Amino acid sequence: MPFVSRVIDKLRYVYAQQAKKARIKRASKLLSGPPSIVLGEADVAMVCLIRNGMYYLDTLLSHHRKMGVKKFLFIDNGSDDGTRERLAQEPGVTVISNLLPVATYECDMRAEIAREVISGGWFLFLDSDELLDLSHGEGRDITEYTAYCNAHDTTCVIAQRLDMYAPDPLAETESWNYEDSVRRFDQFSEYGITEFEYHDRENVDVWWFLSSNDVTNPGIKLKFGGIRGEIFGEDCGLTIHPLVKNLPGIDLRPHPHFASRVTCADFAVLVRHYKFAGPFLSRERQQVALGTWQHGEGEKRLNVIQDSDFSIRSVEDQQYSGTTDLVASGFLACSKRFLSQFPAPEPEARDKGQEHN
């Protein structure tokens, strides 16, 4: 491509990005909470894009508050189920309304609004149906982990995500509230998970988003598939970048799962994903009917699930009992340096931690 054409294309891209950012800013409106959040160097603020997430809120907030997350930014995409009103009652919570279509603006919306509202500290990017578990985190505060990252000049923490499920039919589980679902959805499966090197360009379609990143622990792999791959044939990514330092040189969300221009820490953490909790089938049907997402995964799931008598089961069901076993097995790869500072908790601490989940 001639030099002049490359320059023109670059200018068009920059203009389009600036126009998108300006559109997001115009469409954003403060609904409740403080308009700005200032964090200390190791403090963490959760950033969550949400629409009609009332079902998840109590457990979502309490779980992450217990680990030391004190500030929350919710980007509301048009809730009409009481989510906005419920969040307005919560301390330390800012709610910004933005009604732009998430299929087009999801990544930029998260990044731009987060940067507009939050100064300093670290971002914790999660969806409403996700819960973070820190490796060997029972009884520990999340700021211990971010302080560790700050001390070792790392700017991102990699998480492996597991889809949690119960063996009961969907017709039964859809009536469980989220707190009960989190307690009773204690099954996961590593069957069918494939993994690749973090910078594998040949086998990983998203390699470009990762190409500018440094990884301090080569034992951390990119994982794909899992129970959704086994049952629905989805090649879904399980590896994500939920915890990212708030620095100007970092591209926070060029992809829904990843940050770019980061240095990844030498340990991985876990994100438990509760996609199948509550009225899962009705959510899927509504999102497919509205065309909320463009990836086609909802259609795949509905083609397999014919009715609410369907049960989520793997040929190798496993029971979740905290991160310790996953660290020991290498599913959550952690360096010797990390483990020397964050050793496995004593059994009593593990049991107490599970009571809070």
Side-chain angles (χ1 to χ4, degrees):
M1 180 184 293
F3 174 76
V4 174
S5 297
R6 291 199 302 270
V7 171
I8 291 174
D9 287 345
K10 178 65 174 178
L11 290 174
R12 285 174 175 167
Y13 173 78
V14 170
Y15 175 78
Q17 288 300 108
Q18 290 176 340
K20 183 179 282 189
K21 290 178 181 180
R23 203 171 298 126
I24 290 170
K25 189 169 185 177
R26 288 196 302 270
S28 297
K29 177 185 176 183
L30 176 68
L31 292 184
S32 61
S36 63
I37 297 171
V38 180
L39 300 177
E41 188 177 8
D43 291 338
V44 178
M46 179 189 289
V47 179
C48 183
L49 178 61
I50 196 168
R51 185 177 186 275
N52 289 340
M54 185 72 170
Y55 174 78
Y56 304 100
L57 292 182
D58 286 349
T59 300
L60 179 69
L61 290 167
S62 64
H63 176 85
H64 294 100
R65 280 173 172 155
K66 285 173 184 174
M67 69 172 57
V69 178
K70 296 181 176 63
K71 303 296 183 181
F72 298 82
L73 169 62
F74 286 90
I75 304 166
D76 188 272
N77 194 235
S79 295
D80 57 11
D81 67 340
T83 292
R84 297 179 173 195
E85 294 78 7
R86 173 71 180 79
L87 288 173
Q89 302 170 10
E90 289 291 329
V93 173
T94 294
V95 182
I96 301 290
S97 171
N98 192 301
L99 303 181
L100 292 173
V102 293
T104 303
Y105 291 94
E106 175 190 5
C107 295
D108 296 281
M109 197 184 299
R110 293 180 199 258
E112 293 305 311
I113 296 175
R115 280 251 168 83
E116 184 74 20
V117 174
I118 301 169
S119 301
W122 288 70
F123 299 113
L124 174 59
F125 292 101
L126 290 176
D127 292 335
S128 56
D129 60 358
E130 295 177 332
L131 299 175
L132 176 72
D133 282 346
L134 300 164
S135 295
H136 294 171
E138 292 88 346
R140 295 189 172 108
D141 194 284
I142 193 171
T143 57
E144 297 178 52
Y145 293 75
T146 50
Y148 174 90
C149 291
N150 290 338
H152 296 291
D153 297 321
T154 53
T155 56
C156 176
V157 177
I158 295 171
Q160 307 295 359
R161 186 167 59 174
L162 285 177
D163 291 295
M164 310 301 294
Y165 57 91
D168 309 85
L170 296 179
E172 181 176 344
T173 63
E174 68 180 1
S175 65
W176 299 350
N177 63 37
Y178 192 43
E179 182 180 4
D180 286 340
S181 294
V182 168
R183 179 172 53 85
R184 300 170 71 175
F185 277 53
D186 61 351
Q187 305 289 305
F188 70 95
S189 177
E190 295 180 57
Y191 178 82
I193 290 180
T194 57
E195 62 178 34
F196 303 96
E197 298 296 326
Y198 187 90
H199 288 301
D200 188 334
R201 296 191 177 196
E202 182 177 346
N203 297 299
V204 178
D205 291 341
V206 294
W207 68 267
W208 186 86
F209 298 101
L210 311 177
S211 60
S212 62
N213 298 344
D214 293 324
V215 183
T216 60
N217 183 353
I220 300 177
K221 311 296 184 183
L222 297 177
K223 299 180 188 293
F224 296 85
I227 189 68
R228 285 192 284 158
E230 180 183 349
I231 295 179
F232 306 117
E234 299 178 49
D235 189 27
C236 49
L238 303 178
T239 306
I240 58 177
H241 294 158
L243 196 55
V244 185
K245 192 168 185 177
N246 186 6
L247 292 177
I250 291 174
D251 191 350
L252 291 178
R253 274 296 176 267
H255 182 278
H257 293 168
F258 304 117
S260 294
R261 299 196 294 274
V262 294
T263 300
C264 300
D266 59 352
F267 65 96
V269 295
L270 182 73
V271 168
R272 285 181 280 151
H273 189 204
Y274 291 90
K275 174 172 281 294
F276 305 124
F280 163 67
L281 265 182
S282 62
R283 286 197 307 266
E284 289 293 298
R285 288 168 177 155
Q286 182 181 38
Q287 289 178 357
V288 168
L290 294 174
T292 303
W293 305 107
Q294 299 174 344
H295 44 53
E297 292 177 353
E299 289 87 345
K300 286 184 179 180
R301 291 189 283 266
L302 292 179
N303 286 337
V304 173
I305 303 174
Q306 299 301 316
D307 55 51
S308 58
D309 290 330
F310 187 86
S311 298
I312 307 294
R313 298 299 299 267
S314 169
V315 298
E316 293 183 5
D317 296 323
Q318 297 166 258
Q319 188 167 33
Y320 182 67
S321 59
T323 61
T324 299
D325 292 340
L326 295 173
V327 172
S329 71
F331 183 86
L332 298 177
C334 298
S335 71
K336 291 181 179 179
R337 182 179 67 184
F338 171 83
L339 293 175
S340 69
Q341 186 164 334
F342 297 90
E346 296 297 326
E348 295 82 3
R350 292 182 61 183
D351 294 342
K352 186 176 181 181
Q354 284 304 301
E355 291 174 2
H356 291 314
N357 290 334

